[in-house]
Amino acid sequence: MKILQVHNFYQKPGGEDQVVAAEQELLTNHGHSVEQYQVHNDRIEMLPSWNVALKTLWNSESLSTVQQRISCFNPDLVHVHNTFPLISPSVYYAAAAQHVPVIQTLHNFRLVCPGSTLFRDGHVCEECLNSVAPYPAIIHRCYRGSLGASAVSAAMLTAHRMTGTWTRKVQTYIAVTDAAKRKFVEGGLPADRIVVKSNFIAHDPGLGMGEGKFALFVGRLCEEKGIRTLLQAWKALPDVPLKIAGDGPLRDLVAESTRNMANVSWLGYCNHANVLQLLKDAFVLVVPSVWYEGDPLIIIEASACGTPVILSDLGSMGEWAAESGLGMRFAPGDAVDLAKQVRALNARAQHFPSSGLASLRMRMRQYFLAHYTAEQNYRQLLAIYESALVASHA
């Protein structure tokens, strides 16, 4: 099979970029031909704002380039990961003009939320979910806190909803969780064209032992990741070491906390190899997010390393914990409840070091092997491709 991958990279590397690379490697390793059309948001700094706005709505250059790629490469399908903001939805039309089916992975909530997160002012927000014209996002400046940028994002969604881009030009959507699929259906995407396929990690890091005896947070230091809840909880946990790996707009708050709390250390940005080693050494990963996370790779990596997880009982995170029978849940944004869960798990680790967490770590590892290996994901992805091709021909 021949696949053309389309992806607009963000300025800050993230999980979506890792998934694109992992799927490209996965498909190539199984003998498929993969060509990529990629654009990086670093280009934004070289463009005037009006030009970025126009490209967000419709990028003729992307249209022409993808048409040329299709003519030369002759792919069986086009798999789009992200078009925002520079590639634009014009690539769907490029594929449709040459009768090549489009698969779109829904990594975030961009197609139903101009800010892409369904999160505003410290809480979940669904005001635009059922709006043809998502004007609340403009009023609240939901994209980057900018009136102009929010208006452009909302205009892009409105224009392509009204012209039927999302319903007529995409053969199959891939949602990463059942919880995410339900939100997209609420937002107007056709339920019969959304399939669910989780993320995965291409290379198994192996089981860790948790010998570091510290709790770990990994992620962007921003409001939606629940950083304030995390730091507030640790004020009540003076005997539990916490390591924070990541960077972001709340770095000053984290830096100040590390000066005031001897048991909290901020590592700054860590490369992937260092993150995996931290996961193997930690006795628990804490995911205190207060927004609808998609399918965080860090939770999958924690499963592979056998590291227990304490996470917010919200959206797909809560569903993952309930379905797996793993993961200790706490009320989103509730620092007292989070501290209670950490304290209970830490007591097991301290008083029953040989057996308290060993069985839980093995169950985490077994869940990874049962659900998140590259081979399992390949079979799921191939089935989606084949089904899309059949539907397209029909």
Side-chain angles (χ1 to χ4, degrees):
M1 194 178 294
K2 299 171 74 174
I3 301 101
L4 176 62
Q5 271 189 344
V6 177
H7 184 52
N8 193 140
F9 282 88
Y10 300 99
Q11 288 178 311
K12 299 289 185 181
E16 292 183 31
D17 303 334
Q18 293 180 44
V19 171
V20 173
E23 286 192 358
Q24 190 272 343
E25 180 182 348
L26 185 67
L27 291 165
T28 301
N29 288 344
H30 282 85
H32 303 285
S33 297
V34 180
E35 186 168 310
Q36 296 176 315
Y37 172 56
Q38 300 176 341
V39 173
H40 200 288
N41 276 352
D42 284 347
R43 288 180 55 188
I44 290 176
E45 298 175 358
M46 300 180 288
L47 298 171
S49 57
W50 64 265
N51 192 254
V52 175
L54 288 178
K55 289 181 183 296
T56 301
L57 294 168
W58 184 270
N59 190 333
S60 298
E61 180 185 347
S62 294
L63 175 73
S64 176
T65 301
V66 170
Q67 285 180 330
Q68 292 174 6
R69 295 286 184 91
I70 292 174
S71 296
C72 296
F73 183 50
N74 192 29
D76 295 289
L77 52 86
V78 174
H79 189 159
V80 181
H81 288 270
N82 177 43
T83 66
F84 188 86
L86 295 179
I87 291 179
S88 89
S90 66
V91 296
Y92 304 137
Y93 290 81
Q98 301 191 54
H99 309 289
V100 180
V102 172
I103 311 291
Q104 170 70 63
T105 296
L106 300 165
H107 292 285
N108 55 45
F109 294 103
R110 178 78 60 196
L111 297 195
V112 294
C113 169
S116 81
T117 60
L118 293 177
F119 180 85
R120 176 177 62 82
D121 296 335
H123 59 81
V124 169
C125 174
E126 299 182 1
E127 284 190 48
C128 296
L129 196 59
N130 299 305
S131 302
V132 174
Y135 62 88
I138 303 175
I139 297 172
H140 299 300
R141 307 186 180 207
C142 289
Y143 182 60
R144 294 182 175 271
S146 166
L147 178 65
S150 298
V152 170
S153 182
M156 183 274 293
L157 284 182
T158 303
H160 289 284
R161 283 175 181 170
M162 295 181 68
T163 55
T165 299
W166 316 132
T167 54
R168 296 190 299 111
K169 299 302 179 182
V170 179
Q171 180 61 55
T172 303
Y173 289 98
I174 299 176
V176 293
T177 65
D178 290 311
K181 176 179 177 177
R182 289 195 295 273
K183 291 303 174 185
F184 286 113
V185 173
E186 286 181 46
L189 294 187
D192 60 342
R193 272 192 258 160
I194 305 177
V195 298
V196 176
K197 182 188 76 67
S198 67
N199 290 327
F200 74 104
I201 51 178
H203 304 285
D204 183 356
L207 181 65
M209 295 294 106
E211 296 174 344
K213 298 182 180 179
F214 59 85
L216 177 67
F217 169 88
V218 178
R220 182 167 158 76
L221 306 183
C222 54
E223 293 289 350
E224 58 265 34
K225 292 293 185 178
I227 297 299
R228 296 183 189 277
T229 303
L230 179 75
L231 295 174
Q232 186 65 32
W234 245 262
K235 291 180 180 179
L237 298 166
D239 298 326
V240 182
L242 169 67
K243 293 187 178 183
I244 298 175
D247 201 354
L250 295 183
R251 64 177 67 86
D252 291 342
L253 174 65
V254 174
E256 181 181 357
S257 296
T258 60
R259 289 193 293 268
N260 297 330
M261 292 189 285
N263 60 326
V264 179
S265 57
W266 176 36
L267 308 179
Y269 171 78
C270 296
N271 64 37
H272 192 229
N274 287 341
V275 167
L276 290 178
Q277 190 57 55
L278 287 167
L279 273 174
K280 290 183 177 183
D281 293 340
F283 82 87
V284 66
L285 172 73
V286 182
V287 186
S289 297
V290 290
W291 73 297
Y292 293 137
E293 288 275 7
D295 189 25
L297 288 175
I298 193 64
I299 294 179
I300 299 175
E301 290 170 335
S303 300
C305 296
T307 306
V309 181
I310 296 176
L311 71 181
S312 298
D313 191 5
L314 179 67
S316 60
M317 293 181 294
E319 289 189 358
W320 177 88
E323 291 170 3
S324 67
L326 304 167
M328 289 134 283
R329 292 174 281 177
F330 69 96
D334 190 333
V336 174
D337 195 10
L338 171 56
K340 177 182 176 182
Q341 297 296 331
V342 174
R343 198 176 291 115
L345 186 65
N346 188 51
R348 289 174 63 182
Q350 297 297 325
H351 298 297
F352 306 98
S354 61
S355 60
L357 294 184
S359 62
L360 179 55
R361 296 189 74 91
M362 287 306 302
R363 286 169 55 206
M364 291 288 294
R365 174 69 180 172
Q366 289 164 2
Y367 194 79
F368 163 76
L369 294 173
H371 294 87
Y372 296 121
T373 65
E375 284 304 312
Q376 289 166 321
N377 208 272
Y378 169 70
R379 289 193 292 270
Q380 294 173 352
L381 184 59
L382 190 62
I384 292 169
Y385 284 173
E386 291 174 344
S387 178
L389 287 171
V390 171
S392 175
H393 293 319

